[in-house]
Amino acid sequence: MEILKQRPSRHPVERLTLLVLLLLSSVTLLTTLGVILSLLGDVVQFFRRVPLAEFLFAPEWTPLFAEPRYGIAPLLAGTFLVTAIALFVAVPLGLALAVYVSEYLPSDKRARVLGVLELFGGIPTVVFGYFALLFVTPLLQKVIPGLSLFNPLSAGLVMGFAILPYVSNVAADAMQSVPRSIREAAYALGARPYEVALKVVLPAALSGVIAAIILAASRAIGETMIVAIAAGQRPTLTLDPRETIATMTSYIVQAATGDQPVGSTAYYALFAVGFTLFLLTLALNVLAQYIVERYRERYE
């Protein structure tokens, strides 16, 4: 403890090292501020032309029509629909896999399985997008009448497997951090392995599990290529998974490759959607961090 109370050394090398570490640790914050500042000017220009009420509550998004409308509701609906379908797949499968890896898989094989899952998460999302469009959609069209070629159902199902490692690996790490003494106490009381996993370990790691789900949701909301390829690019205010929709990210892809004149309202709309997406994912990440800090298990 006496060493910790000592004042930092004034040696030039140590001061330089401290300064370098401080600069490196501030990269994330500076990057976030840079993103905000780079978008803010164009976002302000957009809202000088489009009322905030229209942006939030208008039911149509048609920036290139003769009478343009700038209601982001169709893009939000499409984004949340695909995200909900993806979480419907990723959460139960990811938690089941996390329980198996943490509680049943031998320790010598655990690292291999988690490594394979991490490699699975590194597959380019464009591959998932074409897999959803060319393989999953034709299969679904045989059993679901009226399913469009571009639809959120196939995109969401495939995206669920794409974000599966985010749920399984983070949740497994949280469950493995639960002290072994708690497991042994449960076994000593006569609990069976599945009871220990589901009624003791899983509740004890609840904050980490919730953070994993929120992290996966943030990843799904920000996904671009899967929805751009498989879900379509037609903004429609609907929750029907058979219809073609557009998400915020797919619209950004469409607008970024289009021919909107610089300085037009449609041009500034691209930045407004991007800023909305940034705020949404940032809020989810902050919420996940808050949950971890607020409900962190303290087993000493």
Side-chain angles (χ1 to χ4, degrees), residues 34-70:
V35 170
I36 295 175
L37 293 177
S38 64
L39 294 175
L40 201 55
D42 294 318
V43 172
V44 171
Q45 291 294 330
F46 174 78
F47 284 111
R48 285 179 177 175
R49 305 181 184 190
V50 178
L52 180 61
E54 177 183 348
F55 182 73
L56 295 177
F57 303 112
E60 297 177 348
W61 180 266
T62 55
L64 299 180
F65 282 23
E67 297 182 0
R69 298 295 301 275
Y70 296 96

mmCIF file of all heavy atoms in Angstrom, residues 34-70:
data_model
loop_
_atom_site.group_PDB
_atom_site.id
_atom_site.type_symbol
_atom_site.label_atom_id
_atom_site.label_comp_id
_atom_site.label_asym_id
_atom_site.label_seq_id
_atom_site.Cartn_x
_atom_site.Cartn_y
_atom_site.Cartn_z
ATOM 1 N N GLY A 34 -15.268 12.939 -32.824
ATOM 2 C CA GLY A 34 -15.062 13.230 -34.237
ATOM 3 C C GLY A 34 -16.262 12.850 -35.090
ATOM 4 O O GLY A 34 -16.645 13.584 -36.007
ATOM 5 N N VAL A 35 -16.872 11.695 -34.775
ATOM 6 C CA VAL A 35 -18.071 11.278 -35.513
ATOM 7 C C VAL A 35 -19.204 12.276 -35.305
ATOM 8 O O VAL A 35 -19.902 12.666 -36.260
ATOM 9 C CB VAL A 35 -18.497 9.862 -35.062
ATOM 10 C CG1 VAL A 35 -19.868 9.502 -35.630
ATOM 11 C CG2 VAL A 35 -17.464 8.832 -35.495
ATOM 12 N N ILE A 36 -19.393 12.680 -34.062
ATOM 13 C CA ILE A 36 -20.469 13.630 -33.762
ATOM 14 C C ILE A 36 -20.239 14.950 -34.488
ATOM 15 O O ILE A 36 -21.158 15.498 -35.132
ATOM 16 C CB ILE A 36 -20.570 13.855 -32.241
ATOM 17 C CG1 ILE A 36 -20.995 12.560 -31.547
ATOM 18 C CG2 ILE A 36 -21.558 14.964 -31.930
ATOM 19 C CD1 ILE A 36 -21.006 12.648 -30.036
ATOM 20 N N LEU A 37 -19.017 15.476 -34.433
ATOM 21 C CA LEU A 37 -18.740 16.769 -35.059
ATOM 22 C C LEU A 37 -18.839 16.685 -36.577
ATOM 23 O O LEU A 37 -19.289 17.635 -37.229
ATOM 24 C CB LEU A 37 -17.351 17.252 -34.640
ATOM 25 C CG LEU A 37 -17.187 17.605 -33.154
ATOM 26 C CD1 LEU A 37 -15.756 17.995 -32.854
ATOM 27 C CD2 LEU A 37 -18.143 18.727 -32.764
ATOM 28 N N SER A 38 -18.439 15.553 -37.159
ATOM 29 C CA SER A 38 -18.499 15.422 -38.611
ATOM 30 C C SER A 38 -19.932 15.348 -39.129
ATOM 31 O O SER A 38 -20.206 15.730 -40.267
ATOM 32 C CB SER A 38 -17.724 14.175 -39.057
ATOM 33 O OG SER A 38 -18.327 12.998 -38.548
ATOM 34 N N LEU A 39 -20.847 14.857 -38.306
ATOM 35 C CA LEU A 39 -22.249 14.742 -38.718
ATOM 36 C C LEU A 39 -23.086 15.951 -38.331
ATOM 37 O O LEU A 39 -24.101 16.232 -38.974
ATOM 38 C CB LEU A 39 -22.873 13.480 -38.098
ATOM 39 C CG LEU A 39 -22.337 12.131 -38.555
ATOM 40 C CD1 LEU A 39 -22.983 11.013 -37.745
ATOM 41 C CD2 LEU A 39 -22.598 11.918 -40.037
ATOM 42 N N LEU A 40 -22.680 16.638 -37.280
ATOM 43 C CA LEU A 40 -23.555 17.627 -36.665
ATOM 44 C C LEU A 40 -23.902 18.767 -37.615
ATOM 45 O O LEU A 40 -25.061 19.209 -37.671
ATOM 46 C CB LEU A 40 -22.894 18.176 -35.396
ATOM 47 C CG LEU A 40 -23.834 18.815 -34.373
ATOM 48 C CD1 LEU A 40 -24.927 17.832 -33.979
ATOM 49 C CD2 LEU A 40 -23.052 19.255 -33.156
ATOM 50 N N GLY A 41 -22.921 19.258 -38.365
ATOM 51 C CA GLY A 41 -23.187 20.389 -39.246
ATOM 52 C C GLY A 41 -24.243 20.069 -40.292
ATOM 53 O O GLY A 41 -25.192 20.839 -40.509
ATOM 54 N N ASP A 42 -24.113 18.912 -40.942
ATOM 55 C CA ASP A 42 -25.088 18.528 -41.967
ATOM 56 C C ASP A 42 -26.439 18.181 -41.348
ATOM 57 O O ASP A 42 -27.477 18.400 -41.971
ATOM 58 C CB ASP A 42 -24.555 17.342 -42.768
ATOM 59 C CG ASP A 42 -23.330 17.700 -43.580
ATOM 60 O OD1 ASP A 42 -23.331 18.795 -44.176
ATOM 61 O OD2 ASP A 42 -22.379 16.906 -43.611
ATOM 62 N N VAL A 43 -26.438 17.639 -40.135
ATOM 63 C CA VAL A 43 -27.701 17.338 -39.455
ATOM 64 C C VAL A 43 -28.447 18.633 -39.147
ATOM 65 O O VAL A 43 -29.675 18.718 -39.325
ATOM 66 C CB VAL A 43 -27.435 16.524 -38.166
ATOM 67 C CG1 VAL A 43 -28.712 16.383 -37.351
ATOM 68 C CG2 VAL A 43 -26.891 15.151 -38.519
ATOM 69 N N VAL A 44 -27.732 19.652 -38.722
ATOM 70 C CA VAL A 44 -28.363 20.944 -38.442
ATOM 71 C C VAL A 44 -28.959 21.527 -39.718
ATOM 72 O O VAL A 44 -30.081 22.070 -39.717
ATOM 73 C CB VAL A 44 -27.339 21.904 -37.810
ATOM 74 C CG1 VAL A 44 -27.917 23.318 -37.723
ATOM 75 C CG2 VAL A 44 -26.937 21.408 -36.430
ATOM 76 N N GLN A 45 -28.240 21.394 -40.832
ATOM 77 C CA GLN A 45 -28.775 21.877 -42.104
ATOM 78 C C GLN A 45 -30.057 21.145 -42.490
ATOM 79 O O GLN A 45 -31.002 21.752 -43.014
ATOM 80 C CB GLN A 45 -27.715 21.709 -43.204
ATOM 81 C CG GLN A 45 -26.524 22.628 -43.078
ATOM 82 C CD GLN A 45 -26.892 24.085 -43.274
ATOM 83 O OE1 GLN A 45 -27.824 24.410 -44.006
ATOM 84 N NE2 GLN A 45 -26.156 24.976 -42.617
ATOM 85 N N PHE A 46 -30.115 19.855 -42.207
ATOM 86 C CA PHE A 46 -31.321 19.085 -42.534
ATOM 87 C C PHE A 46 -32.510 19.573 -41.719
ATOM 88 O O PHE A 46 -33.602 19.791 -42.265
ATOM 89 C CB PHE A 46 -31.057 17.605 -42.268
ATOM 90 C CG PHE A 46 -32.285 16.741 -42.426
ATOM 91 C CD1 PHE A 46 -32.734 16.374 -43.682
ATOM 92 C CD2 PHE A 46 -32.985 16.295 -41.313
ATOM 93 C CE1 PHE A 46 -33.870 15.587 -43.837
ATOM 94 C CE2 PHE A 46 -34.103 15.503 -41.454
ATOM 95 C CZ PHE A 46 -34.559 15.147 -42.718
ATOM 96 N N PHE A 47 -32.318 19.757 -40.428
ATOM 97 C CA PHE A 47 -33.446 20.140 -39.585
ATOM 98 C C PHE A 47 -33.816 21.623 -39.733
ATOM 99 O O PHE A 47 -34.861 22.041 -39.243
ATOM 100 C CB PHE A 47 -33.146 19.809 -38.122
ATOM 101 C CG PHE A 47 -33.260 18.347 -37.825
ATOM 102 C CD1 PHE A 47 -32.132 17.601 -37.520
ATOM 103 C CD2 PHE A 47 -34.489 17.707 -37.869
ATOM 104 C CE1 PHE A 47 -32.233 16.247 -37.252
ATOM 105 C CE2 PHE A 47 -34.597 16.359 -37.609
ATOM 106 C CZ PHE A 47 -33.466 15.617 -37.307
ATOM 107 N N ARG A 48 -33.008 22.394 -40.406
ATOM 108 C CA ARG A 48 -33.433 23.739 -40.779
ATOM 109 C C ARG A 48 -34.459 23.694 -41.904
ATOM 110 O O ARG A 48 -35.240 24.638 -42.080
ATOM 111 C CB ARG A 48 -32.220 24.567 -41.210
ATOM 112 C CG ARG A 48 -31.331 25.025 -40.052
ATOM 113 C CD ARG A 48 -30.153 25.822 -40.566
ATOM 114 N NE ARG A 48 -29.344 26.321 -39.449
ATOM 115 C CZ ARG A 48 -28.188 26.979 -39.617
ATOM 116 N NH1 ARG A 48 -27.735 27.209 -40.854
ATOM 117 N NH2 ARG A 48 -27.506 27.393 -38.562
ATOM 118 N N ARG A 49 -34.444 22.601 -42.665
ATOM 119 C CA ARG A 49 -35.367 22.477 -43.796
ATOM 120 C C ARG A 49 -36.544 21.560 -43.491
ATOM 121 O O ARG A 49 -37.607 21.704 -44.096
ATOM 122 C CB ARG A 49 -34.608 21.934 -45.013
ATOM 123 C CG ARG A 49 -33.378 22.741 -45.388
ATOM 124 C CD ARG A 49 -32.694 22.181 -46.613
ATOM 125 N NE ARG A 49 -31.462 22.902 -46.922
ATOM 126 C CZ ARG A 49 -30.772 22.728 -48.049
ATOM 127 N NH1 ARG A 49 -31.197 21.853 -48.960
ATOM 128 N NH2 ARG A 49 -29.666 23.417 -48.271
ATOM 129 N N VAL A 50 -36.345 20.598 -42.605
ATOM 130 C CA VAL A 50 -37.393 19.624 -42.289
ATOM 131 C C VAL A 50 -37.721 19.735 -40.807
ATOM 132 O O VAL A 50 -36.819 19.615 -39.967
ATOM 133 C CB VAL A 50 -36.932 18.188 -42.620
ATOM 134 C CG1 VAL A 50 -38.007 17.180 -42.247
ATOM 135 C CG2 VAL A 50 -36.587 18.080 -44.102
ATOM 136 N N PRO A 51 -38.973 19.942 -40.454
ATOM 137 C CA PRO A 51 -39.325 20.012 -39.029
ATOM 138 C C PRO A 51 -39.045 18.700 -38.312
ATOM 139 O O PRO A 51 -39.190 17.612 -38.890
ATOM 140 C CB PRO A 51 -40.833 20.325 -39.055
ATOM 141 C CG PRO A 51 -41.093 20.873 -40.416
ATOM 142 C CD PRO A 51 -40.112 20.208 -41.335
ATOM 143 N N LEU A 52 -38.666 18.815 -37.070
ATOM 144 C CA LEU A 52 -38.373 17.622 -36.281
ATOM 145 C C LEU A 52 -39.606 16.749 -36.130
ATOM 146 O O LEU A 52 -39.511 15.511 -36.140
ATOM 147 C CB LEU A 52 -37.840 18.025 -34.901
ATOM 148 C CG LEU A 52 -37.488 16.890 -33.943
ATOM 149 C CD1 LEU A 52 -36.386 16.012 -34.517
ATOM 150 C CD2 LEU A 52 -37.073 17.449 -32.576
ATOM 151 N N ALA A 53 -40.774 17.352 -36.010
ATOM 152 C CA ALA A 53 -42.007 16.578 -35.871
ATOM 153 C C ALA A 53 -42.263 15.727 -37.103
ATOM 154 O O ALA A 53 -42.688 14.566 -36.998
ATOM 155 C CB ALA A 53 -43.190 17.520 -35.619
ATOM 156 N N GLU A 54 -42.018 16.276 -38.297
ATOM 157 C CA GLU A 54 -42.191 15.479 -39.509
ATOM 158 C C GLU A 54 -41.187 14.334 -39.562
ATOM 159 O O GLU A 54 -41.526 13.211 -39.950
ATOM 160 C CB GLU A 54 -42.027 16.360 -40.755
ATOM 161 C CG GLU A 54 -42.134 15.572 -42.062
ATOM 162 C CD GLU A 54 -41.904 16.431 -43.295
ATOM 163 O OE1 GLU A 54 -41.885 17.676 -43.154
ATOM 164 O OE2 GLU A 54 -41.733 15.860 -44.384
ATOM 165 N N PHE A 55 -39.967 14.599 -39.167
ATOM 166 C CA PHE A 55 -38.932 13.566 -39.193
ATOM 167 C C PHE A 55 -39.284 12.406 -38.260
ATOM 168 O O PHE A 55 -39.048 11.247 -38.583
ATOM 169 C CB PHE A 55 -37.590 14.181 -38.798
ATOM 170 C CG PHE A 55 -36.436 13.220 -38.826
ATOM 171 C CD1 PHE A 55 -35.900 12.773 -40.011
ATOM 172 C CD2 PHE A 55 -35.869 12.764 -37.629
ATOM 173 C CE1 PHE A 55 -34.827 11.896 -40.034
ATOM 174 C CE2 PHE A 55 -34.801 11.890 -37.640
ATOM 175 C CZ PHE A 55 -34.287 11.453 -38.844
ATOM 176 N N LEU A 56 -39.852 12.710 -37.115
ATOM 177 C CA LEU A 56 -40.130 11.677 -36.126
ATOM 178 C C LEU A 56 -41.469 10.977 -36.348
ATOM 179 O O LEU A 56 -41.585 9.779 -36.058
ATOM 180 C CB LEU A 56 -40.103 12.279 -34.714
ATOM 181 C CG LEU A 56 -38.759 12.819 -34.228
ATOM 182 C CD1 LEU A 56 -38.909 13.437 -32.855
ATOM 183 C CD2 LEU A 56 -37.708 11.715 -34.211
ATOM 184 N N PHE A 57 -42.472 11.674 -36.884
ATOM 185 C CA PHE A 57 -43.823 11.130 -36.880
ATOM 186 C C PHE A 57 -44.455 10.941 -38.262
ATOM 187 O O PHE A 57 -45.505 10.302 -38.354
ATOM 188 C CB PHE A 57 -44.739 12.028 -36.031
ATOM 189 C CG PHE A 57 -44.263 12.196 -34.618
ATOM 190 C CD1 PHE A 57 -43.796 13.420 -34.164
ATOM 191 C CD2 PHE A 57 -44.264 11.126 -33.735
ATOM 192 C CE1 PHE A 57 -43.348 13.582 -32.865
ATOM 193 C CE2 PHE A 57 -43.818 11.277 -32.433
ATOM 194 C CZ PHE A 57 -43.357 12.503 -32.002
ATOM 195 N N ALA A 58 -43.885 11.484 -39.310
ATOM 196 C CA ALA A 58 -44.464 11.285 -40.639
ATOM 197 C C ALA A 58 -44.347 9.810 -41.043
ATOM 198 O O ALA A 58 -43.311 9.179 -40.803
ATOM 199 C CB ALA A 58 -43.766 12.170 -41.664
ATOM 200 N N PRO A 59 -45.390 9.225 -41.666
ATOM 201 C CA PRO A 59 -45.385 7.786 -41.965
ATOM 202 C C PRO A 59 -44.704 7.414 -43.279
ATOM 203 O O PRO A 59 -44.745 6.251 -43.664
ATOM 204 C CB PRO A 59 -46.883 7.463 -42.026
ATOM 205 C CG PRO A 59 -47.504 8.711 -42.524
ATOM 206 C CD PRO A 59 -46.694 9.845 -41.968
ATOM 207 N N GLU A 60 -44.103 8.363 -43.978
ATOM 208 C CA GLU A 60 -43.507 8.066 -45.285
ATOM 209 C C GLU A 60 -42.085 8.591 -45.339
ATOM 210 O O GLU A 60 -41.770 9.645 -44.773
ATOM 211 C CB GLU A 60 -44.335 8.708 -46.408
ATOM 212 C CG GLU A 60 -45.757 8.173 -46.511
ATOM 213 C CD GLU A 60 -46.539 8.890 -47.580
ATOM 214 O OE1 GLU A 60 -46.059 9.939 -48.069
ATOM 215 O OE2 GLU A 60 -47.635 8.420 -47.937
ATOM 216 N N TRP A 61 -41.253 7.832 -46.055
ATOM 217 C CA TRP A 61 -39.877 8.265 -46.307
ATOM 218 C C TRP A 61 -39.661 8.226 -47.820
ATOM 219 O O TRP A 61 -39.372 7.181 -48.393
ATOM 220 C CB TRP A 61 -38.882 7.360 -45.593
ATOM 221 C CG TRP A 61 -37.451 7.747 -45.811
ATOM 222 C CD1 TRP A 61 -36.602 7.254 -46.756
ATOM 223 C CD2 TRP A 61 -36.707 8.735 -45.091
ATOM 224 N NE1 TRP A 61 -35.379 7.866 -46.675
ATOM 225 C CE2 TRP A 61 -35.417 8.775 -45.648
ATOM 226 C CE3 TRP A 61 -37.020 9.569 -44.025
ATOM 227 C CZ2 TRP A 61 -34.430 9.632 -45.173
ATOM 228 C CZ3 TRP A 61 -36.036 10.418 -43.549
ATOM 229 C CH2 TRP A 61 -34.748 10.445 -44.121
ATOM 230 N N THR A 62 -39.831 9.373 -48.463
ATOM 231 C CA THR A 62 -39.710 9.476 -49.925
ATOM 232 C C THR A 62 -38.893 10.714 -50.266
ATOM 233 O O THR A 62 -39.430 11.687 -50.810
ATOM 234 C CB THR A 62 -41.099 9.555 -50.572
ATOM 235 O OG1 THR A 62 -41.821 10.657 -49.980
ATOM 236 C CG2 THR A 62 -41.872 8.265 -50.363
ATOM 237 N N PRO A 63 -37.613 10.735 -49.992
ATOM 238 C CA PRO A 63 -36.817 11.957 -50.195
ATOM 239 C C PRO A 63 -36.595 12.322 -51.659
ATOM 240 O O PRO A 63 -36.244 13.465 -51.950
ATOM 241 C CB PRO A 63 -35.485 11.619 -49.503
ATOM 242 C CG PRO A 63 -35.421 10.131 -49.523
ATOM 243 C CD PRO A 63 -36.824 9.644 -49.386
ATOM 244 N N LEU A 64 -36.785 11.366 -52.590
ATOM 245 C CA LEU A 64 -36.517 11.630 -53.997
ATOM 246 C C LEU A 64 -37.791 11.836 -54.813
ATOM 247 O O LEU A 64 -37.715 11.977 -56.034
ATOM 248 C CB LEU A 64 -35.694 10.478 -54.600
ATOM 249 C CG LEU A 64 -34.320 10.240 -53.960
ATOM 250 C CD1 LEU A 64 -33.607 9.088 -54.635
ATOM 251 C CD2 LEU A 64 -33.467 11.504 -54.015
ATOM 252 N N PHE A 65 -38.947 11.826 -54.169
ATOM 253 C CA PHE A 65 -40.196 12.042 -54.884
ATOM 254 C C PHE A 65 -40.366 13.527 -55.214
ATOM 255 O O PHE A 65 -39.668 14.394 -54.684
ATOM 256 C CB PHE A 65 -41.381 11.552 -54.059
ATOM 257 C CG PHE A 65 -41.559 10.062 -54.093
ATOM 258 C CD1 PHE A 65 -40.505 9.217 -54.386
ATOM 259 C CD2 PHE A 65 -42.793 9.501 -53.824
ATOM 260 C CE1 PHE A 65 -40.662 7.850 -54.414
ATOM 261 C CE2 PHE A 65 -42.969 8.124 -53.846
ATOM 262 C CZ PHE A 65 -41.905 7.303 -54.134
ATOM 263 N N ALA A 66 -41.349 13.800 -56.123
ATOM 264 C CA ALA A 66 -41.628 15.189 -56.470
ATOM 265 C C ALA A 66 -42.096 15.975 -55.253
ATOM 266 O O ALA A 66 -41.778 17.158 -55.107
ATOM 267 C CB ALA A 66 -42.683 15.239 -57.579
ATOM 268 N N GLU A 67 -42.884 15.310 -54.384
ATOM 269 C CA GLU A 67 -43.285 15.897 -53.107
ATOM 270 C C GLU A 67 -42.654 15.060 -51.991
ATOM 271 O O GLU A 67 -43.265 14.119 -51.482
ATOM 272 C CB GLU A 67 -44.804 15.928 -52.978
ATOM 273 C CG GLU A 67 -45.477 16.800 -54.016
ATOM 274 C CD GLU A 67 -46.981 16.843 -53.825
ATOM 275 O OE1 GLU A 67 -47.473 16.183 -52.883
ATOM 276 O OE2 GLU A 67 -47.660 17.533 -54.613
ATOM 277 N N PRO A 68 -41.426 15.350 -51.629
ATOM 278 C CA PRO A 68 -40.692 14.488 -50.688
ATOM 279 C C PRO A 68 -41.283 14.525 -49.290
ATOM 280 O O PRO A 68 -41.808 15.540 -48.839
ATOM 281 C CB PRO A 68 -39.273 15.069 -50.703
ATOM 282 C CG PRO A 68 -39.456 16.497 -51.116
ATOM 283 C CD PRO A 68 -40.625 16.510 -52.050
ATOM 284 N N ARG A 69 -41.197 13.379 -48.625
ATOM 285 C CA ARG A 69 -41.568 13.261 -47.219
ATOM 286 C C ARG A 69 -40.376 12.660 -46.480
ATOM 287 O O ARG A 69 -39.689 11.765 -47.004
ATOM 288 C CB ARG A 69 -42.804 12.372 -47.049
ATOM 289 C CG ARG A 69 -44.052 12.900 -47.732
ATOM 290 C CD ARG A 69 -44.518 14.209 -47.113
ATOM 291 N NE ARG A 69 -44.820 14.075 -45.702
ATOM 292 C CZ ARG A 69 -45.991 13.663 -45.225
ATOM 293 N NH1 ARG A 69 -46.969 13.322 -46.056
ATOM 294 N NH2 ARG A 69 -46.201 13.606 -43.919
ATOM 295 N N TYR A 70 -40.167 13.120 -45.262
ATOM 296 C CA TYR A 70 -38.965 12.728 -44.522
ATOM 297 C C TYR A 70 -39.325 12.154 -43.152
ATOM 298 O O TYR A 70 -38.765 12.559 -42.138
ATOM 299 C CB TYR A 70 -38.031 13.924 -44.366
ATOM 300 C CG TYR A 70 -37.495 14.448 -45.676
ATOM 301 C CD1 TYR A 70 -38.110 15.528 -46.313
ATOM 302 C CD2 TYR A 70 -36.394 13.861 -46.291
ATOM 303 C CE1 TYR A 70 -37.627 16.013 -47.520
ATOM 304 C CE2 TYR A 70 -35.908 14.340 -47.493
ATOM 305 C CZ TYR A 70 -36.534 15.407 -48.108
ATOM 306 O OH TYR A 70 -36.051 15.887 -49.317
#
